[in-house]
Structure formats: C-alpha cells, structure tokens
Amino acid sequence: MFNSLSERLNDTFDRLRGKGRLTEADIVSAMRDIRMALLEADVNFKVVRDFVAKTKERCSTSEVMDSLTPAQNVVKIVLDELTELLGSTESKLVLGNRIPNVIMLVGLQGSGKTTAAVKLAYLLKKQGRSPILAAADVYRPAAADQLSALGSEIEVPVFRGDGADPIEIARGSIREAVDTMRDVVIVDTAGRLQIDEQMMQEAVDIKRAVKPDQILMVVDAMTGQDIVNVVSTFAERTDFDGVIISKLDGDARGGGALSIRAVTGKPIKFVSMGEKPDSLEVFYPDRMAKRILG
Ligand code: GDP
C-alpha cells in the first residue's frame, strides 16, 4: 500500500532538489503535484485541500525560500504535516488498574476483527499479560471456531460460553478471567455487512454489561473512502477509543485509511499488516509518514 503515493511524492521532491533555489512558481507546481498524488491515492478531498493549503503556506515563507536547502525544507514540512494528519504522536492503548481489563473490538463483518483480536492477544501476551479471548460473535458461522483455532495457535484461551447470547458470553468471559487468573479480556463482537440498528444495539448492550476499558473499531484499509463513513457513523452512535486498521498489506490505494484521523478525530492505535499473529503493529504517525515519504 502507498507505493505509488510514495513514488509520486518522491518524484516531486526530486524535481525540487534539482532546482537549487526555488521560486513561487516551483512551490505552486510542487503543491499541485502533491495534491494530485494524494487525490489519486484516494485521500479524502477536504483532507487534501486542508493539507495542501497548510503545507503551501509553510513552504512559501522567506525562511524556506531563501534558505540554502529549500527543497530539503519543503520535504521536512510535508513530513511534518503528514505526521500531524495521521495524529502527531502515538495513541497508546490505555489499560486501567482493574483486573481483568476489558478490550472490546467492534467492526463490520469481514473487517478483520477476529484476526485483530487474536493479534492483539498475542501482542499483549508478549508484553507479559495473560489475555483471554471472548467469542461473542455468535452470528457469523464458524467465527467462534476460527477464534478457538487461532487462540490455540498462540496459546491463549478462548471463552465461548453458551455460544448464543453475546452479552452473556461477554459477562461470562470476565468471570472466567477472574477464575483462571487472566488479566485482559478481549471481546470479539459480531459485525454486520453494514452498521445497522441491531449491530449498534448489541454494541451498546455489551458495552453496558462489561464496561470495557477500551473499545477499538477494526476497519479494513481496502474499503477505500467509505472507511471514513463507517468510522463516523459508528462514532455518532456510540463512543469508542480508537481504530485498528487491518489489511494495510493489501494493494488498495489506502488514502481512506490516511484520512480517518483528520475526518473523524479518532486515533489510529494499531495497524495490521498480514494474517500472521505477529503482524499487528502499534501505530506511530511519524514512522508511517516517513514510510510513505520513503
Ligand atoms: P471479521 O469478520 O471482522 O472477524 O474478519 P476476519 O478476522 O475473519 O478477517 C476476514 C479476512 O481478512 C480473513 O480471511 C483474514 O485472514 C483476513 N485478514 C484479516 N486481517 C488481515 C490483514 O491485516 N492482512 C491480510 N492480508 N488479511 C487479513
């Protein structure tokens, strides 16, 4: 993902570097290139507009234009602004003091929620925690089997309860955590094809029943622009703490994912880059911005 965006931006920077001193026209032309590159990468239109306006304003100062290395300064400004767009600093997963902590994952069907639940369990386990997974996705056939199979791969127990009532399963998983000395419960809830009344009600009911320390929404980077609507629609109905972007290893353009923070205000906490348990990474805006700028 982002390969062609990286290439386009680097071409623009190379052209600027080749010029030595920069004129106002060079900045205008570079900003046009950057605007096109972002739009073609599928970044939200308003996000692009604001990004280019801010970047242009910062690049057009005499401090930049008259410096000995103006092109370098432009690259630095683009990097800064991209980092800011992605959320500036790392948004940590905040776990409380209570034991067990509860993390609830929500998201549309197929978004990668079950996979993300397992990866998060794996990450926490590596950090010395003792997670347990709760299979509260009772609608998708085989979701609980999938969770059990993946859970046993990473040696994390999976609580399935009666396999029928998501709220009871979530509650039961907390009792199970207490009984078996597990300090984090990760609840995998059921997704739907789209955000509907039933999905929201269930999320609200589970939230009320288990009072999660963190609610994370899993979104699929391959979704394109609509990813932003999915996040805002969910956020309008029930508050949550942050986003996990899955399938960032895919070959979609990915601009929707880059727009999430700026449009919805929700921080990106993790990104998932594959199907293996260890492919969940804490999201660092500066590292992602550097990766995109190559
Ligand atoms: P759920 O319905 O939201 O629980 O979705 P799943 O966790 O079952 O994931 C749906 C599909 O996407 C599965 O085939 C996963 O293997 C795949 N998947 C999930 N996360 C990633 C990822 O980060 N990268 C890739 N390439 N595939 C993923």
Side-chain angles (χ1 to χ4, degrees):
M1 208 164 270
F2 309 127
N3 285 349
S4 92
L5 175 60
S6 294
E7 263 171 44
R8 297 268 317 243
L9 292 174
N10 274 302
D11 287 348
T12 306
F13 298 149
D14 285 345
R15 271 195 295 280
L16 286 179
R17 286 193 193 99
K19 284 184 187 291
R21 268 189 80 82
L22 298 182
T23 63
E24 192 64 41
D26 294 326
I27 297 290
V28 169
S29 152
M31 292 304 133
R32 186 183 305 125
D33 289 348
I34 292 173
R35 184 184 302 121
M36 285 308 294
L38 292 169
L39 287 173
E40 277 171 27
D42 208 23
V43 178
N44 175 282
F45 179 79
K46 267 183 65 192
V47 172
V48 174
R49 196 182 55 195
D50 294 350
F51 178 87
V52 172
K54 271 169 83 182
T55 307
K56 184 171 175 211
E57 193 185 320
R58 286 186 61 192
C59 290
S60 303
T61 60
S62 56
E63 208 181 318
V64 174
M65 304 285 284
D66 300 338
S67 77
L68 290 175
T69 51
Q72 282 308 98
N73 287 328
V74 171
V75 177
K76 169 80 173 55
I77 290 168
V78 174
L79 181 66
D80 276 1
E81 289 297 329
L82 192 56
T83 306
E84 165 102 26
L85 176 84
L86 294 171
S88 297
T89 49
E90 174 202 355
S91 171
K92 284 204 162 68
L93 179 72
V94 183
L95 295 179
N97 289 328
R98 74 167 171 155
I99 295 210
N101 264 265
V102 180
I103 302 171
M104 173 177 165
L105 296 190
V106 297
L108 293 181
Q109 200 172 340
S111 61
K113 200 165 15 64
T114 303
T115 316
V118 173
K119 291 177 179 181
L120 190 56
Y122 188 66
L123 194 84
L124 291 170
K125 194 178 159 190
K126 279 197 299 185
Q127 292 171 355
R129 299 266 181 173
S130 309
I132 179 169
L133 289 153
D137 179 355
V138 297
Y139 301 104
R140 184 161 65 85
D145 291 343
Q146 182 192 352
L147 196 63
S148 294
L150 293 170
S152 75
E153 250 176 59
I154 59 163
E155 294 177 13
V156 167
V158 174
F159 181 81
R160 301 177 62 150
D162 65 359
D165 178 353
I167 293 145
E168 265 317 303
I169 295 170
R171 277 205 190 105
S173 67
I174 294 178
R175 284 194 297 271
E176 179 76 5
V178 172
D179 291 349
T180 57
M181 302 290 285
R182 297 266 145 190
D183 60 3
V184 189
V185 180
I186 301 170
V187 184
D188 180 26
T189 64
R192 303 289 195 282
L193 292 177
Q194 58 205 25
I195 295 179
D196 59 17
E197 194 50 44
Q198 203 192 4
M199 176 179 172
M200 288 312 307
Q201 192 55 51
E202 192 172 296
V204 169
D205 289 345
I206 298 179
K207 184 176 170 181
R208 196 173 296 139
V210 299
K211 301 191 177 48
D213 298 84
Q214 287 273 293
I215 304 178
L216 302 178
M217 178 164 204
V218 182
V219 289
D220 176 348
M222 309 283 278
T223 317
Q225 290 272 336
D226 202 40
I227 200 170
V228 170
N229 303 333
V230 170
V231 174
S232 8
T233 309
F234 198 92
E236 273 163 25
R237 299 288 308 274
T238 208
D239 198 25
F240 61 98
D241 302 286
V243 172
I244 298 179
I245 302 179
S246 72
K247 307 185 201 178
L248 216 60
D249 54 315
D251 56 8
R253 290 175 293 164
L258 298 183
S259 313
I260 290 177
R261 174 64 199 241
V263 178
T264 71
K266 288 293 174 197
I268 302 162
K269 302 245 183 198
F270 298 96
V271 288
S272 161
M273 315 249 202
E275 298 184 60
K276 294 260 148 41
D278 63 357
S279 57
L280 188 76
E281 294 178 13
V282 173
F283 180 72
Y284 297 99
D286 54 342
R287 289 189 202 168
M288 179 57 81
K290 276 189 195 130
R291 198 185 290 186
I292 292 171
L293 296 201

